[in-house]
Amino acid sequence: MTPETVNVIFQPSGRRGEVPKGCNIIEASRLIGVDIEALCGEKKVCGKCIVRIEEGHFEKYNIQSSKDHVTPWNEELESKFINAENREKGFRLGCVANIEDDILVFVPEESRAGKQVVSKDARDIKIDFNPMVKLYTIELKPPDFEDKIGDWERLTNGLAREYGLTDLTIDIFTLRTLPGALRAEKFLVTVSVWNDKEVIRIRPGKIEHTYGIAIDVGTTTCAGYLCDLTTMEVISTSSMMNPQCKYGEDVMARITFHMTTPGGLKRMSDDIIEGINSLIDKAIAITHPQKKKIKKKKGEDGPDEYKEIIEEGVEYLRLNRHDIEDITMGFNTAMHHILLGLDPEPVGLAPFPPVIHHSLDIKTRDLGIDINPSSYVFIMPNEAGFVGGDNVGVLLAEEPYKSDEIQLLIDIGTNGELILGNRHKLYSSSCATGPAMEGAQLAFGMRAAPGAIERIEIDPETQDVDYRVIGHDKSRKFSKPEEMKVKGICGSGILDVLAELYRASVITKTGVFNKKFLKENPRFRKNADTGQPEFVLAWKEDSSIGKDIVITQKDVRQIQLAKGALYAGCKLMMKRMGIKKVDTVKIAGAFGTHVDREKALVMGLFPDCEIEHIHGVGNAAGDGCRAALLNKKKRDEANWCARNVQYLELTVEPTFERDFMEAMQMPHMTDKFPHLEGVVPDHVLNQGPKGPVKPE
């Protein structure tokens, strides 16, 4: 870095780079390829480019970020859009704040022009109806001089008589509403009872619906599934980036932030609680009618008016936060500890013990989650230090413990979590895939947002590249490059690219660029600044950032490390179980929605399997949380899973290093892949140590 440049990191996109000292944050975002709203063209009048400058030393990036590293606050321009409280938190207008030194910038969702595509849709899975919160409507006899029993005793006597509910308790917040609720509709009330034990809400009249939300808190993304607890219907799905991304893309970076920053744990906990509340707001907002601005006719005075647009035949709900009466949540162990304010440091140190394995029922108000104040949040149990409630959610959704066939479940995210087994034996493990699979740490890696390459094909004869970019017409498989305006490559494209580079002989079995094979190809070259070999995926005239989009030798190695860790984990669990092959492979997470199963096998993401038996199962962790929301017996199953799945610590296995090294190659150094015959050319699949040669 020269004295005239500074380092800037944008989160949650993960993009980073050097920019000229003195440029404003909007200019820096354009140079690095991050989209921030600037509707007024930087005239400083729209207030859409609000960002936050983070404070502290960020070990992950080795930078010290501070509000003082940008030009001073401009009272005249910025106070119109940013109040005193948010100014204190580090919020600034991106078009006003000029960068003087290294900074880490968090871009709030409302300021992002290119919203990340988060694939967290709910699947149609079989769930038996048995929610934790149930409704009971009862009409009571009002008190008189002959019957002066207390309101609570009157209610419990009636519930015991009509529904057989006994030994009920009531939360103090709910008790305060009891007299008013009883008398509002002449002692006709609907009572919400948690686990047939505790009254958590009382409403006047006959109420037919109550609602809950299942939340999957991932290291990178979070998803919420708002459900009707009386019909089991998923009312809406909402998603967001985990606001903790600014502290680092992986859990170890966040644990380090806690260890090195006073108050770091509380900052991260407050961030995710605030994020969950906003996620709930988004889920509720989807159930409301949209409002559309109606423009004035020519010559009319007065402001533009807003009008409700209600689709014919669609019944919209009028929900508020207090209508949500139950929550289930799953997360990896580190995210679990950080949200609950539990010290995560031991999780990051061998032998990686969690503070607690068992599930928890906690009053939502005690965590600062703003729904019905008497309700509980069910926290999924942890399996081990690096396998948490999200992995338990995958188990609940896919139920391998009820099947005879050997299933391999892979949840690919910032961490790779693996499950292997059937009803007789289950193993789990975790491997550090790192954030490379999600686009971080690659030269042009990015989140799944408009402009990201999501699909790639490379011609095995000419090595020409075709691709599809998020935000373009998907009715056509691929489009003209000049229409795409590429910015980088995201996770699904990363899964494609290694397989395609290998299948087209651009790289050898060992992952090295095949220099002799590519010597006449203009796409292959050495970087002028670093001298590192690279392969051009998209030319700069076809990009929106004025640069060639390339995959470098270092990038290939990063992807190899991630895929090698996954394969080695699978192999070690298979050894422990004493099996040579698996019957079914299921890929969960966002990758499970977008994965090309054939290419996943070509790159050697997991051991050989019939391609027809490889399935993407979407956000299975979220589906498992939803199962626990709609069927309370699934909560008992969750605790059973956490106790009975045998966790395998891969790094202490005696053959781990050798297995990992062998798994780095495509698809593997020694393991055979008979199901790739006819999918990968023979001269590539069966190549020798010097790599493939061009076929005659």
Side-chain angles (χ1 to χ4, degrees), residues 33 62 65 122 168 199 256 305 419 422 436 487 560 576 636 649 654 669:
N62 193 30
S65 176
L168 291 174
V199 174
T256 300
E305 293 186 354
I419 302 166
N422 59 8
K487 294 178 186 174
Q560 283 183 277
R576 181 64 68 92
D636 295 329
E649 181 55 57
M669 179 186 287

Side-chain angles (χ1 to χ4, degrees), residues 24 43 74 78 80 94 139 153 179 202 234 236 239 249 257 291 300 313 344 403 447 472 482 552 573 587 674:
N24 68 37
K43 293 183 173 61
N74 188 311
E78 297 183 273
K80 293 182 287 186
E139 187 171 8
E153 287 72 21
I202 303 169
V234 178
S236 66
S239 58
E249 287 104 345
F257 183 80
K291 290 188 176 182
E300 283 184 344
S403 172
R447 309 285 189 202
H472 286 266
E482 62 270 17
T552 70
M573 290 195 302
I587 305 174

Side-chain angles (χ1 to χ4, degrees), residues 457-465 504-506 517-518 521 523 535-536 694:
E457 286 186 0
I458 301 176
D459 189 301
E461 298 298 324
T462 65
Q463 285 71 54
D464 284 340
V465 181
S505 299
V506 174
F517 187 83
L518 294 167
N521 195 313
R523 288 183 180 272
F535 185 81
V536 179
K694 207 158 190 172

Side-chain angles (χ1 to χ4, degrees), residues 406 408 420 427 567-582 606-608 648 671:
I406 302 291
L408 172 63
L420 177 71
Y427 287 97
Y567 194 109
C570 298
K571 189 80 175 284
L572 285 163
M573 290 195 302
M574 290 170 68
K575 286 181 182 178
R576 181 64 68 92
M577 199 164 183
I579 59 173
K580 298 292 185 183
K581 64 182 287 294
V582 298
F606 41 79
D608 186 59
L648 196 64
D671 289 354

Side-chain angles (χ1 to χ4, degrees), residues 38-70:
L39 300 183
C40 66
E42 296 181 59
K43 293 183 173 61
K44 305 174 177 58
V45 295
C46 73
K48 296 295 184 184
C49 63
I50 295 174
V51 298
R52 186 169 67 206
I53 314 298
E54 298 297 335
E55 288 280 342
H57 180 74
F58 293 85
E59 186 80 20
K60 171 82 176 179
Y61 315 112
N62 193 30
I63 72 160
Q64 182 76 29
S65 176
S66 171
K67 293 180 287 187
D68 297 332
H69 290 183
V70 296

